[in-house]
Amino acid sequence: MKAEMRGNTSVSLQNPTLFETHQSPLSGALNGCLGSLDGACLEKLLLHCASALESNDVTLAQQVMWVLNNVASSVGDPNQRLTSWFLRALISRASMVYPSSMNFNGSSTIQRRLMSVTELAGYVDLIPWHRFGFCASNSAILKAIEGFPRVHIIDFSITHCMQWPTLIDELAKRPQPPSLRISVPSSRPPVPPLLNVSTEEVGLRLGNFAKFKDVPFEFHVFDSSSPKEQQHLNPSLLNLRDDEALVINCQHWLRYLSDDQKGRNNFLNTIKSLSPQIIVVVDEDSDLSASSLTSRITTCFNYLWIPFDSLETFLPKDSRQRMEYESDIGHKIENIIGFEGVQRIERMESGIKLSQRCKSAGFLSIPFCEETVKEVKGLLDEHASGWGMKREEDILVLTWKGHNSVFATAWFPNGLDD
């Protein structure tokens, strides 16, 4: 949205044209919020706008949007910055439903940026959002494949194989490193981070690194026209070999599969039929599958506050790197808030809910060992002090100031020989 976001609330919130009487719904929404920019007030305004859109009250929705436009700021504090992206998403949603009624200038379409491999490495290292899952998963994988001369990893991840150099480095330290084969799907969800080189080029770079480390290596891209069709995987498509230990790695991936019976459950059943040595699942620990727009706003606002707040601790407000990272989160917000049906691909579920799904599919949990916990804690020591980790049953959870952000789990099919 090209309309200017301003942080000064004193004039706009008291503009008498926006709420003419004390009985107006907008006035009620703002009760106790005048001059305030705290998260509770901003969330209240967003919910009021969403409620107006759901009840087809275009006039009220417009009024709340104009107020939000004056209190949100893309260069303000974390709550203001987060709100600016929610406002964009609500305007986008409203403009699709009421194209002639929304008078805001500009388009809400977020520009997608392509990263170099170096920029992607910086993106992953910025906060432990992805590194937490890499560390926990790699540690569990290394333990599960110990003693196997050949290993095949089927990698479902949105981070373009950034997880594997560390694993290759650890394998190289073994007296006799196993041969490693990594297979990735030919398609991925159209979400950040986006890379400016092909998957095949990524495989070549991994191969060069493995060669440097004297780890025998193969890289394979298997045909997969869309993430939703990956429940149709079979041994022939994946070129499975009887002499390999099979590893299934799912990093921030399952949420892009349909959450009905024909999606995630079928995918898990298919994975189970492949008899993997281990399956690791890492994803964001929030339930954003609700059909109600207001419910999704409440959960999403309080959850995605985490990366906005954590970036505040070490990057200046006008940092380009910070703005680009927040823009990628804005991509997520736009999809969660702006779209419905098949267009809404961000359908997260909590770690507890995912665990129940895996158990129902016939998987048994693999507890993370103390060595893994120690490695993850060492990783978090490299980041801001607000990051922490806790256990919830056999789940490891990354936290920010005590709030759950990302979970990691490990599983094996019930009935697989030890």
Side-chain angles (χ1 to χ4, degrees):
M1 186 179 64
K2 295 179 181 177
E4 182 184 358
M5 297 293 190
R6 296 180 299 277
N8 188 337
T9 67
S10 60
V11 176
S12 299
L13 284 178
Q14 298 179 45
N15 186 338
T17 64
L18 289 178
F19 39 110
E20 297 172 357
T21 69
H22 69 280
Q23 288 93 0
S24 75
L26 181 57
S27 177
L30 292 170
N31 184 32
C33 289
L34 291 180
S36 171
L37 288 177
D38 63 75
C41 175
L42 294 172
E43 181 187 346
K44 191 174 184 180
L45 285 168
L46 291 168
L47 288 172
H48 210 63
C49 182
S51 180
L53 290 175
E54 287 187 312
S55 62
N56 295 315
D57 191 337
V58 183
T59 300
L60 179 59
Q62 259 191 326
Q63 289 178 337
V64 183
M65 284 179 182
W66 281 115
V67 174
L68 284 165
N69 191 55
N70 281 275
V71 298
S73 171
S74 59
V75 292
D77 65 31
N79 285 321
Q80 289 175 288
R81 297 167 84 104
L82 177 61
T83 301
S84 72
W85 288 107
F86 273 86
L87 176 58
R88 288 181 67 144
L90 287 169
I91 291 172
S92 176
R93 183 186 182 99
S95 297
M96 288 186 286
V97 180
Y98 314 108
S100 61
S101 301
M102 292 293 114
N103 298 323
F104 290 88
N105 294 323
S107 169
S108 67
T109 302
I110 300 172
Q111 294 297 315
R112 312 293 186 241
R113 63 189 176 107
L114 297 178
M115 299 182 191
S116 68
V117 174
T118 301
E119 288 171 331
L120 177 61
Y123 175 94
V124 169
D125 287 342
L126 194 61
I127 60 176
W129 206 263
H130 293 289
R131 292 185 70 201
F132 163 80
F134 294 172
C135 184
S137 299
N138 283 351
S139 181
I141 291 170
L142 286 166
K143 184 177 180 181
I145 64 174
E146 195 164 355
F148 286 92
R150 296 173 185 83
V151 178
H152 183 191
I153 298 175
I154 302 176
D155 183 30
F156 299 100
S157 172
I158 64 171
T159 51
H160 309 279
C161 296
M162 287 297 295
Q163 176 176 349
W164 304 124
T166 302
L167 183 90
I168 292 171
D169 191 53
E170 288 300 315
L171 290 177
K173 297 175 184 177
R174 295 187 171 180
Q176 184 63 45
S179 65
L180 175 64
R181 186 158 64 106
I182 294 178
S183 296
V184 300
S186 58
S187 67
R188 67 186 293 280
V191 297
L194 303 176
L195 201 57
N196 66 359
V197 299
S198 68
T199 303
E200 289 76 11
E201 174 64 22
V202 170
L204 286 173
R205 295 186 184 211
L206 271 180
N208 289 334
F209 181 75
K211 184 177 181 179
F212 175 72
K213 291 290 184 176
D214 292 323
V215 175
F217 184 80
E218 292 181 49
F219 188 81
H220 174 61
V221 181
F222 61 88
D223 183 45
S224 175
S225 56
S226 76
K228 290 185 178 180
E229 296 178 7
Q230 284 156 11
Q231 63 262 32
H232 303 303
L233 299 174
N234 60 71
S236 176
L237 176 69
L238 299 170
N239 189 23
L240 298 188
R241 302 168 188 169
D242 292 337
D243 61 347
E244 291 177 325
L246 181 63
V247 173
I248 309 294
N249 184 64
C250 297
Q251 298 278 333
H252 300 270
W253 190 271
L254 288 189
R255 67 173 178 267
Y256 299 113
L257 301 179
S258 172
D259 56 358
D260 59 22
Q261 293 297 317
K262 295 181 180 180
R264 296 173 197 179
N265 290 349
N266 278 359
F267 177 81
L268 290 173
N269 288 332
T270 299
I271 293 303
K272 183 185 176 187
S273 72
L274 301 176
S275 299
Q277 193 69 24
I278 186 174
I279 173 175
V280 287
V281 180
V282 175
D283 219 319
E284 298 179 357
D285 197 12
S286 182
D287 193 340
L288 286 167
S289 59
S291 58
S292 164
L293 176 60
T294 53
S295 295
R296 291 204 305 275
I297 284 179
T298 295
T299 305
C300 189
F301 188 87
N302 288 283
Y303 175 68
L304 290 180
W305 160 84
I306 294 171
F308 279 82
D309 189 60
S310 64
L311 291 171
E312 174 83 358
T313 63
F314 66 99
L315 289 176
K317 296 185 184 301
D318 59 352
S319 162
R320 178 182 175 184
Q321 188 180 26
R322 177 177 177 179
M323 290 180 178
E324 288 178 341
Y325 197 99
E326 290 174 346
S327 177
D328 289 342
I329 304 171
H331 174 283
K332 183 194 302 290
I333 294 170
E334 183 179 55
N335 188 259
I336 293 169
I337 304 304
F339 296 94
E340 298 293 348
V342 295
Q343 289 182 302
R344 179 158 58 87
I345 63 173
E346 292 278 355
R347 295 176 182 270
M348 288 178 271
E349 62 183 0
S350 67
I352 297 298
K353 188 174 179 180
L354 183 278
S355 291
Q356 293 170 346
R357 188 187 294 275
C358 287
K359 290 173 183 176
S360 297
F363 286 91
L364 295 178
S365 176
I366 302 175
F368 290 98
C369 65
E370 288 305 315
E371 184 178 348
T372 298
V373 172
K374 183 179 179 181
E375 289 179 18
V376 173
K377 287 181 177 178
L379 165 70
L380 298 183
D381 286 342
E382 300 174 16
H383 294 272
S385 60
W387 293 105
M389 184 195 65
K390 65 181 180 181
R391 289 180 183 265
E392 291 185 350
E393 298 180 353
D394 290 334
I395 304 174
L396 288 186
V397 182
L398 174 70
T399 63
W400 172 254
K401 296 181 178 179
H403 299 272
N404 288 18
S405 60
V406 177
F407 70 84
T409 60
W411 306 87
F412 69 96
N414 191 2
L416 188 67
D417 292 335
D418 293 332

